[in-house]
Amino acid sequence: MDTLHNFTLPQRDSGEWPAHPASAPPWRFIVPTAIVCYLTLVQLLRFRALRAVERKYAGYAADPYKLSYRQAAEIMRLHQLRDTPFLFYFGTQWALVKSYGMSTGTPLLVRTRQLCDPARVGRRAEDTAILLVELLVGDLDSERARRATARLNWMHARYASRIVREDYAHTLALFVLEPARWIDRYDWRPLTRLEKVAYFVYWRELARRMGFEDLVPETLEALEEWKREYEDKHMHFIPENRMVAESTVDLFLRGIPGFLHGLMRTLFVSFIDEKPVRDALGFPDPPFWASALTTGFFRLRGFALRYFFLPRPWPMDPLPPQARDGRIYRSPRFVGFEPWYVADTWYNRIMLWLTSGGKLAPGGQYQGRGYVPEELGPAEFEKLGREQVLKHAEAMKAYAIAEKDAPIGTGCPFSFGF
């Protein structure tokens, strides 16, 4: 009894009684709810664009090789410009690097010095990127795309006697297969069969317009097998391979501080994850930590994009519009190594200064007056072949699909040659 009489209620000072749930700060409920809603929205929207494409082209699922090149272009824009653009263009860059392991092609590259001379290699890289954007992003039947195709053919024709014709098909195989390999391994989703075949169909049309369609196999699987057999025969080390590859490495390292060159060179080699390619280029095997670091980075990036980031709301647009003066001026956003053909404006100067650490500026030697497709290429060829290229481009009109649902044109528009 004494115990009961002596018992007293504790004072209701702060901290004595547990707080009632209703008095908890509202952010304890709002923040988790917002996070759950956001992550749910990510999952709802992540595959929406892909599903829309699959519904539109469901009739081609059984045999996507029946796609026209116009239909293929619409399908491939999804992964090229919206869903997986980073690894698409990264894989395209590495397709070019891998092509330098072919003993049939690098001797010509060394003789022309386009990829070995530090004063030329930057422009060559930018011109290659411009031509790819014109042909892959723009309308293949547009005036500027036809001129870009004609210019590419004109430049190749100048070395026709020294180019191994099968190398065209091998480079095409790399462009078709390598981006898909990178995306399938590391991006937030792999490409569907419809997307892969559509990209192949589009490149097969480019091969038709470049005059080597007869070398391209009929299916994607046959192309991959042909590529493997061709590399078994011709991918082996010669000194010219290493010369071109080292020049490319040096180009990538231009914007990197000197004390990081050793590290970045090691990481560069770790991107080349196929030993036969490394051996053909003359590169040593990378250390385990470098391969683990690059693999881990790409896998972590793919996981984060898949589950934590909303999809791109609209496609990228790396294709610059034509200005009133008829020339095309590149955006500083899409400059790779050197600001060729970027207009010399204050805005572009500021953007390039910020992105290059003050090392690059438009104009001057980089021709701030823009470009036209019929003048692309080495400086010594800039004013050559213009009339032939324009005539060639005009002839391609008869080869295009007149209407979206019309059959593909027949015959080779390059039968007249140069």
Side-chain angles (χ1 to χ4, degrees):
M1 294 295 294
D2 292 339
T3 302
L4 291 175
H5 283 297
N6 293 334
F7 177 79
T8 57
L9 291 172
Q11 298 296 317
R12 297 184 63 178
D13 294 331
S14 59
E16 291 293 338
W17 292 102
H20 192 276
S23 64
W27 61 264
R28 292 188 179 182
F29 303 98
I30 295 175
V31 172
T33 302
I35 292 174
V36 170
C37 290
Y38 172 79
L39 295 179
T40 302
L41 185 63
V42 169
Q43 301 313 307
L44 290 174
L45 298 181
R46 253 292 161 217
F47 292 91
R48 187 176 63 169
L50 176 62
R51 298 293 177 253
V53 169
E54 289 179 331
R55 286 194 299 270
K56 182 174 182 178
Y57 291 100
Y60 293 90
D63 187 7
Y65 293 101
K66 292 181 179 179
L67 291 165
S68 73
Y69 66 85
R70 284 188 181 276
Q71 294 169 322
E74 182 181 359
I75 294 170
M76 75 185 201
R77 297 288 189 268
L78 176 62
H79 69 268
Q80 179 189 28
L81 301 176
R82 188 169 182 177
D83 272 7
T84 59
F86 173 74
L87 281 185
F88 173 84
Y89 289 105
F90 188 88
T92 301
Q93 284 184 326
W94 287 99
L96 286 169
V97 172
K98 290 176 71 170
S99 72
Y100 304 150
M102 302 302 293
S103 60
T104 50
T106 52
L108 177 60
L109 295 175
V110 171
R111 282 198 297 271
T112 61
R113 299 191 59 76
Q114 294 301 319
L115 285 175
C116 293
D117 186 347
R120 298 186 179 192
V121 64
R123 179 169 180 171
R124 167 63 183 261
E126 299 296 341
D127 282 349
T128 300
I130 290 170
L131 285 168
L132 286 173
V133 168
E134 291 285 349
L135 298 178
L136 299 181
V137 178
D139 180 356
L140 195 58
D141 295 326
S142 67
E143 178 70 20
R144 58 191 285 182
R146 286 187 285 109
R147 291 186 181 190
T149 306
R151 183 63 172 180
L152 189 61
N153 286 336
W154 181 85
M155 287 189 287
H156 286 159
R158 297 185 67 83
Y159 302 103
S161 63
R162 291 183 283 175
I163 295 177
V164 177
R165 200 161 172 266
E166 286 74 11
D167 279 354
Y168 289 126
H170 180 257
T171 302
L172 178 146
L174 289 174
F175 280 143
V176 170
L177 299 171
E178 196 65 13
R181 191 175 74 90
W182 280 89
I183 292 170
D184 286 354
R185 291 182 65 184
Y186 296 123
D187 223 316
W188 65 270
R189 71 166 177 88
L191 297 185
T192 64
R193 175 168 172 76
L194 179 67
E195 289 175 300
K196 292 178 180 178
V197 174
Y199 196 46
F200 168 71
V201 167
Y202 190 87
W203 269 104
R204 191 170 59 189
E205 176 63 22
L206 274 174
R208 189 197 311 268
R209 298 181 183 215
M210 293 178 68
F212 65 93
E213 184 204 9
D214 57 304
L215 299 177
V216 180
E218 290 297 317
T219 66
L220 194 61
E221 293 75 18
L223 178 69
E224 191 164 9
E225 179 63 26
W226 179 90
K227 169 183 168 291
R228 188 180 302 111
E229 294 176 357
Y230 191 69
E231 288 178 349
D232 288 344
K233 295 177 182 178
H234 301 290
M235 181 175 277
H236 56 81
F237 177 77
I238 59 174
E240 289 88 344
N241 292 3
R242 181 63 183 265
M243 293 171 64
V244 176
E246 284 291 348
S247 181
T248 302
V249 174
D250 292 340
L251 180 64
F252 275 92
L253 295 180
R254 280 188 185 179
I256 307 295
F259 69 93
L260 291 176
H261 280 194
L263 171 64
M264 298 308 297
R265 187 178 292 270
T266 301
L267 294 178
F268 182 98
V269 174
S270 71
F271 292 142
I272 309 172
D273 55 358
E274 296 168 283
K275 183 173 174 55
V277 180
R278 288 197 303 267
D279 291 344
L281 295 173
F283 288 146
D285 292 343
F288 172 78
W289 64 264
S291 298
L293 182 63
T294 54
T295 299
F297 166 77
F298 283 119
R299 293 197 183 281
L300 179 62
R301 175 188 173 275
F303 179 83
L305 288 176
R306 170 67 177 84
Y307 294 103
F308 301 111
F309 286 85
L310 289 169
R312 189 181 298 273
W314 48 78
M316 288 175 55
D317 187 14
L319 189 70
Q322 192 170 30
R324 291 182 179 179
D325 62 359
R327 301 187 71 82
I328 302 166
Y329 296 86
R330 299 178 71 201
S331 167
R333 292 176 52 212
F334 298 105
V335 168
F337 306 102
E338 296 178 352
W340 287 94
Y341 319 117
V342 176
D344 190 357
T345 65
W346 280 108
Y347 173 79
N348 289 343
R349 281 184 171 271
I350 292 171
M351 291 298 295
L352 285 170
W353 186 86
L354 291 173
T355 56
S356 68
K359 295 180 180 180
L360 296 176
Q365 64 171 317
Y366 299 124
Q367 297 187 4
R369 59 185 179 83
Y371 72 90
V372 288
E374 60 268 25
E375 295 178 359
L376 290 171
E380 60 268 28
F381 294 160
E382 186 175 331
K383 301 301 181 183
L384 299 179
R386 180 184 175 89
E387 296 303 320
Q388 291 172 296
V389 168
L390 294 179
K391 180 180 178 182
H392 195 171
E394 184 68 20
M396 285 189 225
K397 285 184 178 179
Y399 196 57
I401 294 180
E403 301 293 340
K404 285 191 174 183
D405 296 326
I408 296 176
T410 58
C412 179
F414 307 122
S415 57
F416 57 86
F418 280 111

